[in-house]
Amino acid sequence: MKVDGKLNVWRTAEVVEEARHHEKAGYDGLWASESKHDPFLPLLLAAEHTDRLEVGTAIAVAFARSPMQLAYTAHDLQTYSGGRFVLGLGSQIKPHIERRFAMPWSRPAARMREYVSALRAIWAAWNEGEKLDFHGDFYTHTLMSPFFSPPPAPGGAPQVFVAAVGEAMTRVAGEVADGLLAHGFTTERYLREVTLPTVEAGLAKSGRTRGDFSVSHLLLTATGRTEEELARAVDGTRRQIAFYGSTPAYRGVLELHGWGELGDELNALSKSDRADKWEAMGGLVGDDVLHTFAVVAEPERVAAEIHRRYGSLVDRVSFYTAYEIDAEVWEPIVQELHGS
């Protein structure tokens, strides 16, 4: 099982230090996310100061950019890293695409399918010399003269992972992507009964098998070396589960477990005027919900628990921690996961 870290710093020296630390500690990849910062710029530094570490986005917002714009960025990072770049894409949601990025939104699953196909057509023009002649419902790319064509990238086009929770986007990932980025608000049962069968349907449509595809899970993990650390981790994890559970788009995961009413309660409370609503929402997440969504264990038991629950389901994991904890705690866990 591959293990990935998350880049949480943005200053130049800190990015370099984090990248070197993750490579030395045995991580397989280091992902940057798009929230308050551009996700691509620090990855150039991370690639420059490592030799084997994969660098990638988890996620970059696809619909905030044209496929051509993103194709150049990803192609350059694939070149600069010597073939170690992974492009993880997410759709975001309608209000952010329309009101934050001022870009069009419609039929997100169909748009993502076409978006990834457009990227592949552009990269094929640069890497294999194919004529660019892509026509779609959302994007059309038919002009690529030699002056604007970069040289082929080492290793060819980067891998593309698509983030998904719902079945429509999950099927798209299976059809056109190299991997799936499973959301943190995903349970073992949801992966087994919903996500993976849907991926398989998408893979069958594209003539591929599960061996041609990678599933990466951002796994809610609560751990601590002392009772106080573990209690703080559990409290932060409850609140994170409550936050996601209040979002209607993720209700299907709760409904699978018979917790649809919890989603309604959390959603209503999130819209209330209570000053303590986020703490109160966390209080609604009982132990059964907590342990279903998260791995909760002392550090020496984390790897075994991850392997027991997810070893047959996912190909790579990263630790989702809604709390502060010393990074050294994870190093023996990474090594143990590699050996499992």
Side-chain angles (χ1 to χ4, degrees):
M1 183 182 290
K2 289 187 174 182
V3 186
D4 303 310
K6 183 178 180 181
L7 188 63
N8 292 312
V9 294
W10 303 95
R11 297 180 186 275
T12 301
E14 293 174 338
V15 170
V16 172
E17 182 180 356
E18 279 289 281
R20 288 173 171 166
H21 163 76
H22 278 81
E23 183 163 75
K24 183 178 180 181
Y27 286 85
D28 298 281
L30 182 62
W31 306 140
S33 63
E34 183 162 24
S35 52
K36 298 178 181 179
H37 303 276
D38 179 278
F40 298 105
L41 294 177
L43 295 180
L44 179 59
L45 285 168
E48 180 185 7
H49 292 276
T50 56
D51 298 312
R52 60 157 190 86
L53 194 71
E54 291 179 287
V55 295
T57 55
I59 53 85
V61 180
F63 303 155
R65 306 166 173 87
S66 78
M68 182 63 70
Q69 177 189 10
L70 190 51
Y72 276 114
T73 302
H75 183 88
D76 285 349
L77 276 168
Q78 178 76 335
T79 299
Y80 297 150
S81 67
R84 292 184 284 134
F85 178 65
V86 179
L87 177 62
L89 297 176
S91 62
Q92 250 296 346
I93 58 175
K94 183 178 180 179
H96 284 270
I97 298 301
E98 291 187 337
R99 294 163 48 199
R100 184 156 66 98
F101 292 107
M103 295 292 280
W105 172 275
S106 65
R107 300 166 55 203
R111 185 182 287 270
M112 183 65 79
R113 179 187 294 107
E114 188 174 300
Y115 196 105
V116 176
S117 298
L119 287 173
R120 297 204 187 281
I122 296 166
W123 289 331
W126 298 340
N127 292 317
E128 285 91 51
E130 294 186 9
K131 178 179 173 58
L132 182 58
D133 190 28
F134 183 85
H135 298 265
D137 296 328
F138 309 100
Y139 307 103
T140 298
H141 300 280
T142 59
L143 177 61
M144 183 53 59
S145 56
F147 184 81
F148 296 103
S149 299
Q159 292 188 78
V160 178
F161 284 27
V162 169
V165 178
E167 293 181 59
M169 192 66 77
T170 301
R171 188 175 296 106
V172 166
E175 289 179 23
V176 299
D178 301 294
L180 170 80
L181 294 170
H183 196 282
F185 196 71
T186 301
T187 67
E188 175 189 354
R189 182 180 172 189
Y190 193 85
L191 277 168
R192 192 182 303 277
E193 297 183 15
V194 179
T195 302
L196 292 181
T198 307
V199 164
E200 293 278 4
L203 288 168
K205 187 172 181 180
S206 63
R208 298 183 296 162
T209 66
R210 179 68 174 82
D212 302 313
F213 194 82
S214 181
V215 176
S216 175
H217 187 16
L218 179 61
L219 180 59
L220 282 162
T221 312
T223 192
R225 294 160 295 191
T226 65
E227 289 186 8
E228 292 77 12
E229 280 190 352
L230 185 56
R232 185 167 62 249
V234 165
D235 185 53
T237 303
R238 286 189 201 274
R239 289 199 301 269
Q240 196 64 42
I241 293 169
F243 170 73
Y244 286 129
S246 70
T247 305
Y250 305 142
R251 183 184 172 90
V253 185
L254 291 171
E255 288 180 340
L256 179 69
H257 293 273
W259 296 327
E261 291 184 0
L262 173 61
D264 295 335
E265 292 181 70
L266 291 170
N267 181 257
L269 191 50
S270 73
K271 296 176 180 179
S272 73
D273 295 328
R274 286 183 55 169
D276 66 338
K277 62 183 179 182
W278 300 112
E279 291 78 7
M281 287 165 61
L284 295 178
V285 176
D287 287 348
D288 53 343
V289 178
L290 170 71
H291 287 272
T292 298
F293 278 95
V295 166
V296 183
E298 295 81 7
E300 60 271 18
R301 293 178 47 240
V302 167
E305 186 67 7
I306 291 174
H307 182 68
R308 181 184 69 82
R309 291 170 58 176
Y310 297 96
S312 64
L313 301 177
V314 306
D315 305 289
R316 55 199 308 160
V317 296
S318 51
F319 310 117
Y320 192 165
T321 55
Y323 53 93
E324 295 293 329
I325 191 168
D326 190 337
E328 292 182 0
V329 169
W330 304 106
E331 294 179 15
I333 298 174
V334 171
Q335 297 304 320
E336 190 173 347
L337 285 170
H338 281 155
S340 60

